[in-house]
Amino acid sequence: MQAGIGDPVRRKEDLRLVTGGGCYSDDFNFPGQAYGAALRSPHAHARIRSIDAAAARTMPGVLAVLTGQDAVADGLKTIPHLAGAGAPPDVVLKNRDGSAVPVAPHYILPADRVRHTGTAIAFVIAETVAAAKDAAERIVVDYEVLPAVTDAKAAVEHNAPRLYDDLPNIMIDAEVGDAKAVDAAFARAAHVTRLDTWLNRVTGVPMEPRAAIGIYDPATGRYTLYAGSGGIVRQKHELAAILGVPSENVRVIAREIGGNFGTRNSFFPEFAMVAWGSRRVGRPVKWTCERHEAFVSDYMGRDLTVSAELALDADGRFLALRSSNLSNVGAHSGSYVPLIKGVGLATAGYRIPVAQINARAALSTTVPTIPYRSAGRPEVIYVMERLIDKAAQEHGFDRVSLRRRNLIPPSSFPYKNPQGITYDNGTYRVVMDRAMELGEWKGFKRRRAEARKRKKLRGIGLCNYVETTLGYPRERADITVHPQGRVDVVVGTLSSGQSHETTFAQCVAEWLGVPFDDVHIFENDTDIVKEGGGSHSARSMRLAGIVMGNASDIVIDKGKKIASHLLETAEDDIAFAGGRFTVKGTDRHVGIFDVAAAAADGKSLPEDLRGPLDGSCDETILQLGFPYGAHVCEVEIDPATGALDLVRYTAVDDVGRAINPMVVDGQTHGGVAQGVGQALWELCSYDAQGQLLSASFMDYAMPRADILPSFTTDISEVLTPTNRLGVRGAGEGGTTGALGAVVNAAVDALAEFGVSHIEMPVTPERIWRAIQSAKK
């Protein structure tokens, strides 16, 4: 089958997955394996006075009970989370007092105290899962319960409970921008609009809960971890650091991931527990997370408190942005990346001359937050788009004209925003107009009038967004052309549903001129994958495209040298196209697989051309990518009950070149569903004692197919000049644009009552209360 860049070819992965041929983490099993179960803290904050595991250790089938004291005795280190307090080319966050940004440690089993409900404090290994669970219940823990603090605003108060004796609760207190220029702009502004809001905490609830098997080989001193994640190379280095062994002593294997969205990108304590536990008991150790465990121990996302002001002149031109962004990072420094990326994009795709952002990160007695789909960008885009609608409502502007007047025009690119981030290019207004056209914006008044006849409130919302993509900057590809008519591509990304087996194969098939079905992608085993950053921040196609393209060029250049010998002509006379090396101006040619066969045979070739026909590229790429788009959402509300129906949704996203438009549309659909879920239903809710009140599907509301409309999606393809494919990234945009579009639509529906804002999730109760309050 021939398929190349831009073709909407069906996914290679699907046949395997829909016929039960997939292999998820829980599908791995080995002879003689034992099973692990974690005992978890019922308290959000408590000192561990003692752990008595004597009764548990004597129970039938129990092989070991491991605690934090055992981990200390064995020399295990803390999890080396890539917190990322600011590395070029992102905005660098430095504390205003000049102090270094600290990192709150994360032990796989704490020896001193627990800092969030659900923390694993003991790990039982037994012959069966049931035996491990029964033994865990026999462990007696003496706790000294301490005050909890779950809200970031409360955590930064001077009298707040301290999570660490040697660390403040405030991890970052930084300021970005020109405060004097911003003060001057606000002083001369004709209009100022303010928004105080909280971006609700959510969790990823992936389809497959986490699972892992650890195997230690005493003969070689080598550990093997089978676990789905966001990137196997990173997990390899992190596990080695925790165990205190060289990286070459660790192998990580992952097949199907079962859903990620960023929640699997950071290292989990249980992954080290099974590897360490295998060494302790001399057998493979398997652990599978149960759904209730996942709710209290999976890393979470969002949780940003914002107070923002937008200054405008009399004509509605934006003069300045002032914002205070407070990130709740939870009990440990899992990641500061959402805060950092949000600061960099706070002014979105608009011409705002000056900005000042106070960026803070606070510890709390909650599960750590990490980058969750489009880390940090949905939050600040939401704030900007709500500010614009609020400014239009308060000061008499048309909300569409206000956006059109202030969007960055194509003539201004490359454009450096006031935070120091330089956008590459784009047609922001064109994309917004296209979204409004597909969303039938002009016909909305008619639809609103029709809804009134049915005693329904109808609202329409618009959201423009711009993204930034990079993530871990190093990536590698190794390409080998085999004589048997097969091309193997080893790359350091890791698909968790992004269709790498299909889209990567499309690129290599086009570059090398080989059948699409002959290209095979490998990214699942660190014994094969030498380097790479995994999949996050829409980096996979951008960075893999660069290194795969360069590796393909090396293959072709090497092939030309070999073909020149086979065709008995000078190398400069050889042209390559369509999988064939041809003598220019003649019909004499040799195919790429024949060249690979000659190289493997090597008899008629110089020594340096013998061996496999292959090419490798390992690069560190610091160039950011900037996807952008516009979403239009339409809702209907029953004023009597507050019930909201999402009736129309339109998304136009510019991803640069769309390698496979069908895959891009699918990613947009999934991203929109996640964004809508946060806007309308999802909430990780803690009480004052730090207990998670939304720890099951009875309490945590998820978007379902039957409550979402059919999405209208379109792809804009303005190629970025920053990479050979022109790719910007396609994995995050659906989510980034959804929050603002949905809430703007809901507020528009309620505008006749004078409602100017409503917090997420926009539940029927909140809507009903907003209506009742407005009536009073």
Side-chain angles (χ1 to χ4, degrees), residues 44-163:
H45 196 198
R47 295 191 190 278
I48 302 172
R49 287 173 171 159
S50 65
I51 299 177
D52 183 356
R57 291 189 174 102
T58 62
M59 291 188 66
V62 173
L63 303 174
V65 179
L66 303 176
T67 67
Q69 294 293 345
D70 297 317
V72 171
D74 281 6
L76 269 63
K77 308 296 192 298
T78 58
I79 299 174
H81 288 303
L82 299 176
D90 285 324
V91 170
V92 178
L93 297 186
K94 298 179 180 179
N95 283 329
R96 287 188 283 188
D97 63 4
S99 63
V101 172
V103 173
H106 189 184
Y107 292 89
I108 67 168
L109 290 169
D112 57 349
R113 60 169 142 167
V114 296
R115 294 174 173 86
H116 71 80
T117 304
T119 299
I121 57 168
F123 190 63
V124 181
I125 303 172
E127 298 285 355
T128 65
V129 174
K133 286 183 176 181
D134 288 345
E137 292 183 357
R138 297 292 299 276
I139 299 172
V140 178
V141 184
D142 183 11
Y143 294 102
E144 177 192 346
V145 179
L146 301 171
V149 59
T150 60
D151 177 74
K153 288 191 294 184
V156 299
E157 295 294 331
H158 72 278
N159 60 345
R162 286 275 290 273
L163 271 72

Side-chain angles (χ1 to χ4, degrees), residues 48 60 97 100 210 246 279 286 316 379 388 391 489 529 544 559 608 666 759:
I48 302 172
D97 63 4
R210 289 177 286 124
R279 190 185 78 200
K286 180 174 184 176
E379 295 95 301
I388 295 172
V489 181
V529 178
D608 63 327
E759 289 284 81

